[in-house]
């Protein structure tokens, strides 16, 4: 017969095991870059590659790809409540704004949309960590617009106290061999570099989250 102390220890052990086995969710919320536009297999987009990395390290995280080709910050804001109601979130990676920039949309509106999405995530999941992916647009839209657009992301990250990927397309943008025929969407090789750019920031967030659990 087990003593009360042994029973208590047994319960504690079970609870510890359940805590260790709890699966966390990383939600990637973006546009065609996240969705894997033009790839034979969407799992070759950087969110899928991040899942492979997590699995290889034995991290109990599940990646959810909520990328939608053609999405803008306004569209993302309209659908975010629906997504958050249906999907638990432990880490939220926000990758939106590029389509707004390419269309020359109002930058104050882009900024406001990003901030409002971050606010909505925080309200729904106060403990979630949030990462914002920085973007740039070509100077063909005008040097002033391009420069000011690039500033939106670090400024929002600072204002909302979220982590920042400085430029998601670092080492891929403008590299013909790493992009599809449209010169915009990365190839499989390009997506591998995007995954690396994301992991450079995401890895520390995951380590901090696991240490705090």
């Amino acid at each position: 017969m087990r003593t009360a102390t042994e029973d208590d220890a047994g319960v504690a052990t079970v609870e510890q095991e359940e805590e260790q086995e709890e699966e966390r969710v990383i939600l990637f919320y973006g546009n065609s870059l996240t969705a894997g536009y033009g790839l034979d297999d969407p799992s070759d987009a950087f969110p899928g590659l991040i899942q492979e990395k997590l699995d290889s390290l034995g991290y109990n995280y599940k990646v959810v790809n909520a990328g939608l080709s053609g999405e803008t910050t306004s569209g993302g804001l309209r659908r975010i409540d629906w997504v958050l109601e249906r999907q638990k979130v432990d880490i939220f990676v926000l990758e939106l704004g590029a389509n707004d920039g390419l269309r020359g949309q109002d930058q104050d509106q882009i900024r406001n949309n990003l901030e409002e999405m971050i606010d909505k995530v925080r309200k729904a999941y106060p403990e979630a960590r949030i990462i914002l992916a920085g973007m740039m647009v070509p100077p063909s839209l005008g040097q002033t617009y391009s420069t000011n657009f690039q500033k939106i992301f670090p400024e929002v990250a600072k204002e909302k106290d979220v982590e920042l990927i400085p430029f998601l397309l670092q080492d891929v943008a403008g590299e013909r061999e790493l992009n599809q025929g449209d010169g915009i969407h990365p190839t499989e090789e390009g997506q591998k570099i995007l995954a690396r750019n994301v992991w450079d920031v995401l890895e520390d967030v995951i380590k901090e989250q696991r240490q705090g659990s």
Side-chain angles (χ1 to χ4, degrees):
M1 178 180 295
R2 297 173 63 187
T3 65
T5 302
E6 290 172 337
D7 287 340
D8 292 342
V11 170
T13 300
V14 170
E15 290 176 347
Q16 290 170 359
E17 289 175 351
E18 288 177 348
E19 182 177 351
Q20 291 171 356
E21 293 172 0
E22 181 182 359
E23 183 179 65
R24 292 190 173 103
V25 174
I26 303 174
L27 179 66
F28 285 90
Y29 194 72
N31 54 39
S32 55
L33 298 175
T34 293
Y37 175 87
L39 301 177
D40 291 336
D41 185 348
S43 67
D44 289 328
F46 69 86
L49 302 178
I50 293 294
Q51 182 70 75
E52 292 179 6
K53 181 73 171 180
L54 294 165
D55 293 344
S56 71
L57 294 171
Y59 291 168
N60 194 17
Y61 281 78
K62 179 180 75 172
V63 166
V64 175
N65 189 332
L68 180 63
S69 293
E71 188 72 292
T72 62
T73 58
S74 294
L77 181 57
R78 283 192 295 270
R79 72 182 174 106
I80 194 167
D81 287 332
W82 185 91
V83 172
L84 294 176
E85 287 171 1
R86 290 160 176 78
Q87 181 59 64
K88 166 193 170 185
V89 177
D90 295 288
I91 298 176
F92 185 86
V93 183
L94 177 56
E95 180 273 304
L96 284 173
N99 287 325
D100 304 63
L102 292 173
R103 298 171 189 177
Q105 294 184 357
D106 181 76
Q107 294 184 359
D108 287 338
Q109 188 63 58
I110 297 170
R111 182 190 304 271
N112 291 340
N113 290 341
L114 290 171
E115 291 181 349
E116 193 166 347
M117 281 186 278
I118 290 170
D119 289 344
K120 285 179 175 291
V121 174
R122 283 220 169 106
K123 182 177 180 180
Y125 297 98
E127 300 302 317
R129 298 292 301 275
I130 301 173
I131 300 172
L132 177 63
M135 293 301 302
M136 300 181 187
V137 292
S140 58
L141 294 167
Q143 191 60 55
T144 299
Y145 185 92
S146 177
T147 299
N148 290 338
F149 178 85
Q150 182 179 344
K151 292 178 181 178
I152 292 173
F153 301 89
E155 289 174 357
V156 169
K158 182 178 180 180
E159 174 68 23
K160 292 299 179 180
D161 191 24
V162 302
E163 301 298 326
L164 176 70
I165 301 166
F167 180 36
L168 178 65
L169 292 169
Q170 182 68 43
D171 299 326
V172 176
E175 301 295 333
R176 182 177 300 178
E177 70 278 8
L178 295 175
N179 287 279
Q180 300 173 41
D182 59 12
I184 297 174
H185 295 97
T187 61
E188 289 184 22
E189 288 303 311
Q191 286 281 353
K192 292 177 183 178
I193 298 176
L194 265 61
R196 183 193 69 195
N197 295 338
V198 172
W199 186 251
D200 284 345
V201 176
L202 179 61
E203 181 180 20
D204 286 341
V205 172
I206 289 173
K207 287 181 177 178
E208 291 171 7
Q209 193 172 65
R210 296 177 77 234
Q211 289 171 356
S213 61

